[in-house]
Amino acid sequence: MFNLSSFVQKAQQLIDVNLNLPSPTDRNPSKSELFRLQFRLPETQTPLQEITAELVLSEHHTLRAKDETYKDREKERLQGNRYVGKLHLSEKFLCFSTQASSFLPTASTSTSSSFTGQTHGAGPAGNGFTLPLCAVRKVERLHSQGYLFSLAITTSNGLNDPQAKHNLPQKFTISLAGSRQQCERFCDGLKKGLRAGMRDVDNLRKVVSLCYSEFHLADEPAKGLKSTTPAREPPDTGLGTVFRYPGDPRKLRDKAKMRLWKEYMREYGRNATLIRQPTFHKLIRVGLPNRLRGEIWEITSGSFYLRLGQPDLYTDTLSTHSGKESLAIDEIEKDLNRSLPEYAGFQSEEGIGRLRRVLTAYSWTNPEVGYCQAMNIVVAALLM
Protein backbone atom coordinates (compact mmCIF):
# COMPACT_ATOMS: atom_id res chain seq x y z
CA MET A 1 0.00 0.00 0.00
CA PHE A 2 1.33 3.46 -0.93
CA ASN A 3 2.34 5.49 2.14
CA LEU A 4 1.42 9.09 1.32
CA SER A 5 2.67 10.57 4.60
CA SER A 6 6.25 9.28 4.17
CA PHE A 7 6.29 10.54 0.56
CA VAL A 8 5.20 14.01 1.70
CA GLN A 9 7.82 14.02 4.46
CA LYS A 10 10.64 13.17 2.03
CA ALA A 11 9.44 15.80 -0.43
CA GLN A 12 9.33 18.41 2.34
CA GLN A 13 12.94 17.63 3.29
CA LEU A 14 14.03 18.24 -0.31
CA ILE A 15 12.11 21.52 -0.47
CA ASP A 16 13.19 22.89 2.91
CA VAL A 17 17.00 22.67 2.89
CA ASN A 18 17.14 23.98 6.47
CA LEU A 19 15.87 20.61 7.72
CA ASN A 20 19.09 18.97 6.58
CA LEU A 21 21.46 21.55 8.06
CA PRO A 22 23.13 20.99 11.44
CA SER A 23 21.96 23.12 14.35
CA PRO A 24 24.00 26.26 15.21
CA THR A 25 25.55 24.52 18.24
CA ASP A 26 26.50 21.55 16.05
CA ARG A 27 28.54 23.49 13.51
CA ASN A 28 32.31 23.88 13.37
CA PRO A 29 33.33 21.20 15.88
CA SER A 30 37.06 20.90 16.49
CA LYS A 31 39.20 18.31 14.73
CA SER A 32 39.75 16.57 18.06
CA GLU A 33 35.99 16.21 18.59
CA LEU A 34 35.49 14.72 15.14
CA PHE A 35 38.44 12.38 15.66
CA ARG A 36 37.00 11.08 18.93
CA LEU A 37 33.57 10.63 17.41
CA GLN A 38 34.93 8.77 14.40
CA PHE A 39 36.83 6.23 16.50
CA ARG A 40 34.71 6.32 19.67
CA LEU A 41 37.61 7.46 21.85
CA PRO A 42 37.65 9.05 25.35
CA GLU A 43 37.75 12.84 25.66
CA THR A 44 41.40 12.72 26.72
CA GLN A 45 42.52 11.68 23.22
CA THR A 46 43.65 14.08 20.48
CA PRO A 47 44.91 13.34 16.94
CA LEU A 48 48.71 13.59 17.04
CA GLN A 49 49.69 12.01 13.72
CA GLU A 50 47.87 11.06 10.51
CA ILE A 51 49.19 9.27 7.43
CA THR A 52 47.89 7.29 4.45
CA ALA A 53 48.54 3.58 4.94
CA GLU A 54 47.68 0.10 3.72
CA LEU A 55 46.45 -2.59 6.11
CA VAL A 56 47.32 -6.18 5.11
CA LEU A 57 45.49 -9.06 6.82
CA SER A 58 45.91 -12.78 6.32
CA GLU A 59 43.29 -14.64 4.32
CA HIS A 60 40.73 -16.77 6.13
CA HIS A 61 42.17 -20.00 7.53
CA THR A 62 39.76 -22.15 5.49
CA LEU A 63 41.61 -21.05 2.36
CA ARG A 64 44.99 -22.23 3.65
CA ALA A 65 46.74 -25.55 3.19
CA LYS A 66 46.57 -27.76 6.28
CA ASP A 67 50.27 -28.67 6.21
CA GLU A 68 51.59 -25.15 5.78
CA THR A 69 54.78 -24.20 7.61
CA TYR A 70 55.46 -21.03 9.58
CA LYS A 71 57.27 -19.51 6.56
CA ASP A 72 54.26 -20.28 4.40
CA ARG A 73 52.01 -18.48 6.89
CA GLU A 74 54.33 -15.47 6.92
CA LYS A 75 54.34 -15.35 3.11
CA GLU A 76 50.57 -15.73 2.96
CA ARG A 77 50.13 -13.00 5.57
CA LEU A 78 51.93 -10.55 3.32
CA GLN A 79 49.65 -11.52 0.41
CA GLY A 80 46.33 -11.37 2.26
CA ASN A 81 43.42 -8.93 2.22
CA ARG A 82 44.50 -5.34 1.63
CA TYR A 83 42.75 -2.14 2.71
CA VAL A 84 43.94 1.39 1.93
CA GLY A 85 42.93 4.12 4.34
CA LYS A 86 44.12 6.57 6.98
CA LEU A 87 46.21 5.63 10.01
CA HIS A 88 45.84 7.88 13.04
CA LEU A 89 47.82 8.10 16.25
CA SER A 90 46.65 9.60 19.54
CA GLU A 91 48.17 9.53 23.03
CA LYS A 92 46.98 5.97 23.74
CA PHE A 93 45.45 4.60 20.51
CA LEU A 94 46.41 3.58 17.00
CA CYS A 95 43.39 3.87 14.69
CA PHE A 96 42.81 2.87 11.07
CA SER A 97 39.76 3.35 8.88
CA THR A 98 39.02 2.94 5.19
CA GLN A 99 36.30 5.59 5.41
CA ALA A 100 37.17 9.08 4.20
CA SER A 101 38.24 11.33 7.03
CA SER A 102 35.44 13.34 8.62
CA PHE A 103 37.83 16.13 9.66
CA LEU A 104 36.52 18.46 6.96
CA PRO A 105 35.49 22.12 7.48
CA THR A 106 31.93 21.17 6.52
CA ALA A 107 31.74 18.25 8.98
CA SER A 108 29.33 18.39 11.91
CA THR A 109 29.02 16.49 15.16
CA SER A 110 25.73 14.85 14.13
CA THR A 111 26.99 13.63 10.75
CA SER A 112 30.16 12.24 12.31
CA SER A 113 28.37 10.30 15.04
CA SER A 114 25.15 9.21 13.31
CA PHE A 115 24.43 5.97 11.46
CA THR A 116 26.34 6.28 8.18
CA GLY A 117 27.23 2.76 7.17
CA GLN A 118 27.07 -0.94 7.80
CA THR A 119 27.18 -0.66 11.58
CA HIS A 120 27.34 2.97 12.72
CA GLY A 121 29.54 6.03 12.54
CA ALA A 122 32.26 6.90 10.08
CA GLY A 123 34.94 4.94 11.93
CA PRO A 124 33.27 1.66 12.96
CA ALA A 125 31.32 1.53 9.70
CA GLY A 126 34.49 1.06 7.69
CA ASN A 127 37.09 -1.66 7.69
CA GLY A 128 39.84 -1.00 10.24
CA PHE A 129 40.52 -0.96 13.96
CA THR A 130 40.81 1.09 17.14
CA LEU A 131 43.82 -0.43 18.87
CA PRO A 132 44.96 0.55 22.38
CA LEU A 133 48.75 0.96 22.34
CA CYS A 134 48.98 -1.07 25.56
CA ALA A 135 47.68 -4.08 23.57
CA VAL A 136 50.60 -3.97 21.10
CA ARG A 137 53.15 -6.64 21.98
CA LYS A 138 55.77 -6.09 19.27
CA VAL A 139 56.44 -3.89 16.21
CA GLU A 140 58.94 -5.02 13.56
CA ARG A 141 60.27 -3.14 10.53
CA LEU A 142 59.86 -5.12 7.31
CA HIS A 143 61.65 -4.89 3.97
CA SER A 144 59.21 -3.72 1.30
CA GLN A 145 59.73 -2.75 -2.32
CA GLY A 146 56.54 -0.76 -2.64
CA TYR A 147 56.74 1.23 0.61
CA LEU A 148 59.47 3.04 2.54
CA PHE A 149 58.09 1.84 5.87
CA SER A 150 56.23 -1.44 6.46
CA LEU A 151 55.51 -2.48 10.04
CA ALA A 152 54.52 -5.94 11.29
CA ILE A 153 52.40 -5.48 14.43
CA THR A 154 51.87 -8.30 16.94
CA THR A 155 49.17 -7.82 19.58
CA SER A 156 48.72 -9.35 23.01
CA ASN A 157 45.77 -11.50 21.87
CA GLY A 158 46.62 -15.04 20.87
CA LEU A 159 49.70 -15.29 23.11
CA ASN A 160 47.98 -16.87 26.11
CA ASP A 161 49.05 -20.35 25.04
CA PRO A 162 51.84 -20.31 22.41
CA GLN A 163 51.76 -24.13 22.28
CA ALA A 164 48.23 -24.13 20.86
CA LYS A 165 48.41 -24.65 17.11
CA HIS A 166 45.27 -22.69 16.29
CA ASN A 167 45.91 -19.93 18.83
CA LEU A 168 48.66 -18.17 16.87
CA PRO A 169 49.65 -14.61 17.76
CA GLN A 170 47.54 -11.99 16.02
CA LYS A 171 49.80 -10.32 13.49
CA PHE A 172 49.08 -7.86 10.69
CA THR A 173 51.06 -5.49 8.48
CA ILE A 174 50.74 -1.73 8.09
CA SER A 175 52.54 -0.03 5.18
CA LEU A 176 52.94 3.75 5.43
CA ALA A 177 52.54 5.81 2.27
CA GLY A 178 54.29 9.17 2.51
CA SER A 179 57.62 10.91 2.41
CA ARG A 180 60.48 9.57 4.51
CA GLN A 181 60.11 12.53 6.85
CA GLN A 182 56.38 11.85 7.35
CA CYS A 183 56.96 8.14 7.96
CA GLU A 184 59.79 8.74 10.40
CA ARG A 185 57.74 11.31 12.29
CA PHE A 186 54.85 8.85 12.57
CA CYS A 187 57.13 6.01 13.70
CA ASP A 188 58.78 8.24 16.31
CA GLY A 189 55.36 9.15 17.70
CA LEU A 190 54.34 5.49 17.72
CA LYS A 191 57.50 4.53 19.60
CA LYS A 192 56.82 7.14 22.31
CA GLY A 193 53.19 6.02 22.58
CA LEU A 194 54.16 2.36 22.95
CA ARG A 195 56.57 3.18 25.77
CA ALA A 196 53.92 5.22 27.58
CA GLY A 197 51.34 2.47 26.95
CA MET A 198 53.27 0.03 29.13
CA ARG A 199 51.72 1.75 32.15
CA ASP A 200 48.24 0.65 31.04
CA VAL A 201 48.98 -3.07 30.57
CA ASP A 202 47.61 -3.95 34.03
CA ASN A 203 44.37 -2.08 33.25
CA LEU A 204 44.11 -3.98 29.97
CA ARG A 205 44.49 -7.33 31.74
CA LYS A 206 41.77 -6.44 34.25
CA VAL A 207 39.27 -5.46 31.56
CA VAL A 208 40.09 -8.30 29.15
CA SER A 209 39.78 -10.91 31.90
CA LEU A 210 36.08 -9.98 32.17
CA CYS A 211 35.44 -10.42 28.42
CA TYR A 212 33.56 -13.53 27.40
CA SER A 213 35.54 -13.75 24.16
CA GLU A 214 38.69 -14.66 26.13
CA PHE A 215 36.87 -17.51 27.87
CA HIS A 216 35.19 -18.60 24.63
CA LEU A 217 38.47 -18.81 22.74
CA ALA A 218 40.36 -20.66 25.48
CA ASP A 219 41.83 -23.89 24.10
CA GLU A 220 39.96 -27.05 24.98
CA PRO A 221 41.97 -30.23 25.70
CA ALA A 222 42.06 -32.81 22.92
CA LYS A 223 39.74 -35.79 23.15
CA GLY A 224 40.98 -38.42 25.58
CA LEU A 225 43.36 -35.96 27.33
CA LYS A 226 42.81 -34.25 30.65
CA SER A 227 43.48 -30.56 31.01
CA THR A 228 46.46 -29.70 33.24
CA THR A 229 44.88 -26.41 34.29
CA PRO A 230 41.77 -26.07 36.50
CA ALA A 231 38.49 -25.28 34.76
CA ARG A 232 37.97 -21.55 34.45
CA GLU A 233 34.69 -19.95 35.44
CA PRO A 234 33.01 -18.03 32.60
CA PRO A 235 32.76 -14.27 33.12
CA ASP A 236 29.45 -12.62 33.89
CA THR A 237 27.41 -12.06 30.73
CA GLY A 238 24.22 -10.72 32.27
CA LEU A 239 21.17 -12.02 34.06
CA GLY A 240 20.28 -14.06 30.98
CA THR A 241 22.79 -16.77 31.89
CA VAL A 242 20.90 -17.35 35.17
CA PHE A 243 17.28 -16.53 34.29
CA ARG A 244 17.37 -17.23 30.51
CA TYR A 245 17.69 -14.65 27.78
CA PRO A 246 14.53 -13.17 26.26
CA GLY A 247 13.28 -14.76 23.04
CA ASP A 248 12.99 -18.24 21.58
CA PRO A 249 16.40 -20.02 21.78
CA ARG A 250 15.67 -22.01 18.60
CA LYS A 251 14.97 -18.87 16.61
CA LEU A 252 17.93 -17.00 18.10
CA ARG A 253 20.38 -19.75 16.97
CA ASP A 254 22.96 -18.60 19.48
CA LYS A 255 25.15 -21.69 19.16
CA ALA A 256 25.53 -21.26 15.40
CA LYS A 257 26.29 -17.54 15.84
CA MET A 258 28.86 -18.28 18.53
CA ARG A 259 30.70 -20.65 16.18
CA LEU A 260 30.86 -17.95 13.50
CA TRP A 261 32.11 -15.32 15.93
CA LYS A 262 34.66 -17.71 17.44
CA GLU A 263 36.06 -18.38 13.99
CA TYR A 264 36.24 -14.68 13.19
CA MET A 265 37.87 -13.71 16.49
CA ARG A 266 40.55 -16.39 16.19
CA GLU A 267 41.59 -14.83 12.91
CA TYR A 268 41.10 -11.10 13.43
CA GLY A 269 41.33 -10.45 17.17
CA ARG A 270 38.77 -9.86 19.89
CA ASN A 271 37.84 -7.20 22.45
CA ALA A 272 40.80 -4.75 22.58
CA THR A 273 42.39 -5.96 19.32
CA LEU A 274 39.34 -6.60 17.13
CA ILE A 275 39.84 -5.70 13.46
CA ARG A 276 36.75 -4.87 11.41
CA GLN A 277 36.47 -6.50 8.00
CA PRO A 278 33.45 -7.00 5.70
CA THR A 279 32.77 -10.29 7.52
CA PHE A 280 32.47 -8.38 10.81
CA HIS A 281 29.67 -6.23 9.42
CA LYS A 282 27.93 -9.30 8.00
CA LEU A 283 28.06 -11.02 11.39
CA ILE A 284 26.57 -7.91 13.01
CA ARG A 285 23.65 -8.05 10.57
CA VAL A 286 23.18 -11.79 11.09
CA GLY A 287 22.86 -11.06 14.80
CA LEU A 288 24.90 -11.12 17.97
CA PRO A 289 24.85 -14.12 20.30
CA ASN A 290 23.59 -13.12 23.73
CA ARG A 291 26.84 -13.89 25.55
CA LEU A 292 28.83 -11.58 23.25
CA ARG A 293 26.21 -8.85 22.91
CA GLY A 294 27.47 -6.68 25.77
CA GLU A 295 31.12 -7.00 24.77
CA ILE A 296 30.58 -6.13 21.10
CA TRP A 297 28.34 -3.24 22.11
CA GLU A 298 31.09 -1.91 24.40
CA ILE A 299 33.70 -2.12 21.64
CA THR A 300 31.63 -0.48 18.90
CA SER A 301 30.22 2.25 21.17
CA GLY A 302 33.59 3.11 22.71
CA SER A 303 32.65 2.40 26.34
CA PHE A 304 35.26 -0.38 26.32
CA TYR A 305 38.00 2.25 25.87
CA LEU A 306 36.58 4.35 28.71
CA ARG A 307 36.78 1.29 30.95
CA LEU A 308 40.43 0.77 30.01
CA GLY A 309 41.22 4.16 31.51
CA GLN A 310 39.36 3.51 34.80
CA PRO A 311 38.71 -0.23 35.21
CA ASP A 312 37.82 0.11 38.93
CA LEU A 313 35.57 3.17 38.67
CA TYR A 314 32.33 1.21 39.27
CA THR A 315 33.48 -0.69 42.36
CA ASP A 316 35.36 2.31 43.77
CA THR A 317 32.27 4.53 43.39
CA LEU A 318 30.07 2.04 45.24
CA SER A 319 32.57 1.57 48.07
CA THR A 320 33.26 5.31 48.44
CA HIS A 321 29.55 6.19 48.74
CA SER A 322 28.48 3.08 50.65
CA GLY A 323 25.83 3.94 53.25
CA LYS A 324 25.29 7.48 51.97
CA GLU A 325 21.81 8.74 51.17
CA SER A 326 20.54 11.12 48.49
CA LEU A 327 17.31 12.17 46.78
CA ALA A 328 18.28 10.07 43.71
CA ILE A 329 18.67 6.93 45.83
CA ASP A 330 15.22 7.48 47.37
CA GLU A 331 13.71 7.71 43.86
CA ILE A 332 15.63 4.61 42.74
CA GLU A 333 14.20 2.55 45.61
CA LYS A 334 10.66 3.49 44.58
CA ASP A 335 11.16 2.20 41.02
CA LEU A 336 13.19 -0.98 41.63
CA ASN A 337 10.17 -3.30 41.85
CA ARG A 338 8.59 -1.70 38.79
CA SER A 339 11.47 -2.57 36.46
CA LEU A 340 10.35 -5.23 33.96
CA PRO A 341 8.57 -7.26 36.69
CA GLU A 342 7.51 -9.87 34.12
CA TYR A 343 11.14 -11.02 33.87
CA ALA A 344 12.11 -13.60 36.51
CA GLY A 345 15.45 -11.96 37.18
CA PHE A 346 13.78 -8.83 38.54
CA GLN A 347 11.59 -10.83 40.86
CA SER A 348 14.73 -11.99 42.69
CA GLU A 349 17.11 -10.25 45.06
CA GLU A 350 20.03 -10.90 42.70
CA GLY A 351 18.45 -8.99 39.82
CA ILE A 352 17.09 -6.20 42.03
CA GLY A 353 20.50 -5.89 43.70
CA ARG A 354 22.32 -5.49 40.39
CA LEU A 355 19.81 -2.90 39.24
CA ARG A 356 20.16 -0.96 42.49
CA ARG A 357 23.98 -0.94 42.31
CA VAL A 358 24.18 0.26 38.70
CA LEU A 359 21.62 3.05 39.17
CA THR A 360 23.22 4.12 42.45
CA ALA A 361 26.74 4.20 40.98
CA TYR A 362 25.52 6.26 38.03
CA SER A 363 23.72 8.74 40.30
CA TRP A 364 26.99 9.43 42.17
CA THR A 365 29.10 9.52 38.98
CA ASN A 366 26.77 11.96 37.22
CA PRO A 367 25.12 14.00 40.02
CA GLU A 368 23.72 16.59 37.57
CA VAL A 369 21.35 13.92 36.27
CA GLY A 370 21.29 11.64 39.29
CA TYR A 371 18.21 9.57 38.46
CA CYS A 372 15.09 10.11 36.40
CA GLN A 373 12.13 7.89 35.54
CA ALA A 374 12.63 5.18 32.88
CA MET A 375 16.37 4.92 33.57
CA ASN A 376 15.51 1.77 35.54
CA ILE A 377 13.93 0.25 32.41
CA VAL A 378 17.00 1.04 30.28
CA VAL A 379 19.40 -0.43 32.85
CA ALA A 380 17.18 -3.50 33.37
CA ALA A 381 17.29 -4.26 29.65
CA LEU A 382 21.09 -3.84 29.58
CA LEU A 383 21.50 -6.11 32.61
CA MET A 384 19.64 -8.89 30.81
Side-chain angles (χ1 to χ4, degrees):
M1 184 177 178
F2 181 73
N3 191 337
L4 181 61
S5 60
S6 64
F7 179 80
V8 172
Q9 186 178 9
K10 289 180 181 179
Q12 184 64 33
Q13 287 179 352
L14 293 174
I15 295 170
D16 189 356
V17 294
N18 292 324
L19 291 176
N20 295 319
L21 292 175
S23 63
T25 58
D26 193 33
R27 294 174 181 167
N28 300 322
S30 67
K31 181 177 179 179
S32 294
E33 286 181 275
L34 295 171
F35 171 72
R36 289 191 291 267
L37 285 168
Q38 181 168 356
F39 294 104
R40 303 301 192 261
L41 296 177
E43 292 184 359
T44 57
Q45 300 303 296
T46 53
L48 302 177
Q49 302 281 348
E50 175 185 330
I51 194 169
T52 302
E54 182 181 55
L55 170 65
V56 183
L57 301 173
S58 60
E59 293 180 356
H60 199 275
H61 71 89
T62 54
L63 302 177
R64 305 175 193 159
K66 292 183 179 179
D67 58 345
E68 62 182 355
T69 64
Y70 180 77
K71 289 184 178 179
D72 292 333
R73 285 197 293 271
E74 284 294 291
K75 183 178 178 181
E76 175 258 317
R77 180 177 59 79
L78 296 173
Q79 298 174 348
N81 300 327
R82 296 172 178 269
Y83 303 96
V84 176
K86 286 286 185 180
L87 188 65
H88 304 268
L89 181 68
S90 71
E91 291 85 350
K92 294 187 177 183
F93 292 88
L94 183 67
C95 307
F96 178 83
S97 179
T98 56
Q99 290 279 11
S101 174
S102 61
F103 311 154
L104 303 174
T106 55
S108 66
T109 305
S110 59
T111 56
S112 297
S113 59
S114 62
F115 182 97
T116 58
Q118 296 169 335
T119 46
H120 68 271
N127 302 308
F129 55 77
T130 301
L131 181 65
L133 293 176
C134 57
V136 177
R137 193 68 171 258
K138 184 167 61 173
V139 178
E140 302 169 271
R141 175 85 178 269
L142 300 177
H143 296 288
S144 174
Q145 295 180 349
Y147 293 93
L148 286 172
F149 286 76
S150 287
L151 307 175
I153 297 177
T154 305
T155 71
S156 56
N157 279 174
L159 292 175
N160 298 332
D161 185 5
Q163 301 301 320
K165 293 181 180 179
H166 58 282
N167 201 14
L168 296 170
Q170 183 195 20
K171 199 170 184 178
F172 57 89
T173 302
I174 286 283
S175 298
L176 308 182
S179 65
R180 178 174 291 276
Q181 186 179 11
Q182 286 177 310
C183 295
E184 287 179 348
R185 191 186 306 121
F186 192 95
C187 290
D188 287 342
L190 178 60
K191 188 185 297 183
K192 292 178 183 176
L194 291 172
R195 286 174 180 167
M198 295 298 294
R199 297 193 294 264
D200 299 320
V201 171
D202 288 339
N203 286 357
L204 177 70
R205 287 174 180 160
K206 282 183 184 179
V207 175
V208 166
S209 66
L210 300 175
C211 292
Y212 188 80
S213 59
E214 291 297 315
F215 170 81
H216 188 51
L217 269 70
D219 287 319
E220 299 175 358
K223 291 183 179 179
L225 296 177
K226 292 184 178 180
S227 175
T228 56
T229 56
R232 181 184 163 194
E233 287 293 323
D236 186 5
T237 55
L239 289 170
T241 53
V242 181
F243 300 98
R244 298 184 64 181
Y245 290 102
D248 185 351
R250 294 182 63 185
K251 292 181 179 179
L252 291 174
R253 297 177 298 164
D254 263 19
K255 288 185 178 179
K257 292 176 184 176
M258 286 295 284
R259 283 196 298 270
L260 293 173
W261 277 99
K262 187 173 187 177
E263 193 174 297
Y264 183 88
M265 290 187 296
R266 279 206 188 281
E267 294 290 326
Y268 306 117
R270 65 268 194 187
N271 47 72
T273 63
L274 182 73
I275 297 177
R276 300 180 303 272
Q277 284 207 94
T279 310
F280 172 80
H281 306 298
K282 289 178 183 177
L283 289 175
I284 291 284
R285 292 195 295 272
V286 167
L288 288 164
N290 282 309
R291 284 176 174 79
L292 286 177
R293 187 178 298 276
E295 183 178 325
I296 299 297
W297 177 83
E298 276 197 287
I299 294 165
T300 53
S301 69
S303 64
F304 183 90
Y305 310 121
L306 287 173
R307 204 146 62 92
L308 276 180
Q310 295 179 292
D312 300 318
L313 177 62
Y314 175 67
T315 53
D316 289 349
T317 301
L318 289 175
S319 61
T320 301
H321 297 89
S322 178
K324 294 182 181 180
E325 296 183 358
S326 68
L327 179 61
I329 291 176
D330 293 339
E331 295 299 318
I332 289 169
E333 290 296 329
K334 293 177 185 178
D335 283 350
L336 286 176
N337 292 316
R338 294 183 286 184
S339 307
L340 304 183
E342 66 277 6
Y343 183 66
F346 298 114
Q347 297 173 10
S348 70
E349 184 53 39
E350 181 177 356
I352 294 294
R354 291 193 189 197
L355 186 60
R356 178 187 289 111
R357 289 191 292 273
V358 173
L359 290 170
T360 301
Y362 182 82
S363 71
W364 290 116
T365 306
N366 189 358
E368 291 185 4
V369 175
Y371 174 78
C372 63
Q373 284 189 334
M375 282 175 64
N376 59 315
I377 304 300
V378 175
V379 173
L382 292 172
L383 285 172
M384 290 159 61

